[in-house]
Amino acid sequence: MQYLPFDVEKLLSKLLSKELKFAQQIETWKQQLAIHPDYNLARFFEEIDSRGTNYVDCINLKTFLIRCSYLPNDNLLLAIVRRLDLDGDARLNYREFVDAMRPLENYMPLLEKARAS
């Protein structure tokens, strides 16, 4: 069995550690969104799919983000779509979008915390 060079292994572990932290932050944001009174994934999808194509691609994602005062980099937009795209067609259908936006964990503890504040 061969080992990776130490510097490569260290960088790989650092990358994976950052990915885990990023995933935790994303999950927290999904949970916060899910307890909002206006939470409606179908409406969210329609808002991003402003062209009515029944999918989210880099073009309508970019349009949505610009409308929200973000100036996205095209490579990062593609990275987002690729991360969430399950069938590899470079766009998100409604099911892929919902799977990506729905919290993985039960958000009831967060709701109770919000109500207590």
Side-chain angles (χ1 to χ4, degrees), residues 63-101:
T63 301
F64 172 76
L65 290 171
I66 289 172
R67 213 170 53 238
C68 295
S69 301
Y70 292 99
L71 298 176
N73 171 305
D74 288 342
N75 289 333
L76 293 177
L77 288 169
L78 183 57
I80 290 170
V81 171
R82 282 183 178 167
R83 184 183 289 264
L84 307 177
D85 179 21
L86 300 177
D87 61 10
D89 63 355
R91 58 189 188 182
L92 308 176
N93 61 38
Y94 180 71
R95 175 59 30 213
E96 290 169 323
F97 179 82
V98 167
D99 288 347
M101 295 296 119

Side-chain angles (χ1 to χ4, degrees), residues 15-60:
L15 172 66
L16 293 174
S17 174
K18 288 186 182 264
E19 283 285 342
L20 289 171
K21 287 177 185 173
F22 178 66
Q24 287 174 320
Q25 183 62 59
I26 293 289
E27 181 63 18
T28 298
W29 290 331
K30 288 179 190 180
Q31 290 177 11
Q32 289 172 348
L33 190 59
I35 63 172
H36 196 279
D38 295 325
Y39 182 74
N40 182 321
L41 289 173
R43 179 70 184 110
F44 296 168
F45 184 81
E46 290 172 6
E47 187 69 24
I48 296 172
D49 178 26
S50 59
R51 298 178 299 152
T53 57
N54 292 320
Y55 58 82
V56 171
D57 62 5
C58 291
I59 295 169
N60 50 22

